[in-house]
Amino acid sequence: MAVHPITITGEPVLHRRAQPVEAFDDELRTLIADMFETMDVANGVGLAAPQIGVGLRIFVYGMENDDGVAARGVLVNPTLVTSKVPGSDPDPDEESEGCLSVPGEAFPLKRADWARVSGFDGDGAPVEFEATGWFARCMQHEYDHLDGKLYVDRLDNRQSRKAKKALKNHGWGVPGLTWMPGVDPDPFGH
């Protein structure tokens, strides 16, 4: 297993739709193991392949939940169906989200409270479950990465202005920027 650098917003692979996985082989299983290792060293709860520069439809997660779903898993070529996203303003104390590709920042965002996720594991076996609460938020966040969206792309106008200012102040939004978990300081202070 190997830890990979995490791409920062502005890297093209983060902003385009990822391609479906076509082969469930040892190369895929190695990539998945590397993704778990990278997520763990980065203290993340999810990591999508585009976040390590790989434009494939894969994400891993490591998050306790109340839905009877294993706390660690992988989704290959997933689909996602959600309940309606509430129209109210997000609560900055209860609904702030962060992202390893927008390191150290967090902004409030409304998400659906429920999601049905289906796809395949690393061996090609079908996986399907329902997620609620923060686990549903995690599934939506990681799935968005596979469609070339970051959570900052979904912010309301007020929060979007704040995010754009923060990204500009960091010098992000251009290709070639990464950070290395386990080497660079943890941007979220874990």
Side-chain angles (χ1 to χ4, degrees), residues 142-160:
E142 297 310 326
Y143 185 83
D144 274 353
H145 278 299
L146 306 183
D147 284 343
K149 290 187 186 332
L150 294 153
Y151 85 103
V152 293
D153 298 328
R154 292 195 177 275
L155 298 174
D156 64 25
N157 287 338
R158 182 170 170 250
Q159 295 302 324
S160 181

Side-chain angles (χ1 to χ4, degrees), residues 126-185:
V127 175
E128 186 171 355
F129 58 83
E130 293 183 6
T132 60
W134 273 92
F135 188 46
R137 178 180 291 271
C138 177
M139 295 300 102
Q140 292 167 77
H141 180 111
E142 297 310 326
Y143 185 83
D144 274 353
H145 278 299
L146 306 183
D147 284 343
K149 290 187 186 332
L150 294 153
Y151 85 103
V152 293
D153 298 328
R154 292 195 177 275
L155 298 174
D156 64 25
N157 287 338
R158 182 170 170 250
Q159 295 302 324
S160 181
R161 285 191 300 274
K162 289 181 179 181
K164 286 176 182 171
K165 183 177 180 181
L167 271 56
K168 183 178 178 181
N169 288 341
H170 286 294
W172 299 337
V174 296
L177 301 177
T178 63
W179 68 278
M180 188 66 183
V183 175
D184 294 326

Side-chain angles (χ1 to χ4, degrees), residues 32 34 45 48 54 61 66 70 95-96 102 107 143 153-155 187:
I32 291 168
D34 288 355
V45 296
V54 178
Y61 65 88
D66 296 324
E95 297 177 301
S96 284
V102 187
F107 299 96
Y143 185 83
D153 298 328
R154 292 195 177 275
L155 298 174

Side-chain angles (χ1 to χ4, degrees), residues 19-25 28 55-58 76-77 120 124:
Q19 296 300 306
V21 170
E22 295 182 5
F24 291 83
D25 55 15
L28 175 65
L56 291 174
R57 296 188 73 77
I58 309 166
V76 179
N77 297 338
F120 301 92

Side-chain angles (χ1 to χ4, degrees), residues 1-111:
M1 292 186 294
V3 175
H4 292 255
I6 295 178
T7 58
I8 294 174
T9 183
E11 187 62 31
V13 71
L14 288 172
H15 305 285
R16 66 176 174 252
R17 185 175 170 82
Q19 296 300 306
V21 170
E22 295 182 5
F24 291 83
D25 55 15
D26 287 342
E27 187 176 333
L28 175 65
R29 286 183 281 282
T30 298
L31 173 61
I32 291 168
D34 288 355
M35 289 174 65
F36 274 117
E37 182 75 10
T38 302
M39 177 184 73
D40 291 344
V41 173
N43 297 303
V45 296
L47 183 74
Q51 292 183 273
I52 60 168
V54 178
L56 291 174
R57 296 188 73 77
I58 309 166
F59 70 79
V60 297
Y61 65 88
M63 184 176 201
E64 295 294 329
N65 61 80
D66 296 324
D67 300 311
V69 179
R72 286 175 71 81
V74 59
L75 273 296
V76 179
N77 297 338
T79 61
L80 184 84
V81 176
T82 67
S83 59
K84 185 177 179 187
V85 177
S88 56
D89 289 339
D91 181 330
D93 296 323
E94 300 292 328
E95 297 177 301
S96 284
E97 224 170 279
C99 178
L100 296 173
S101 290
V102 187
E105 297 293 338
F107 299 96
L109 174 64
K110 272 292 184 198
R111 292 271 192 188

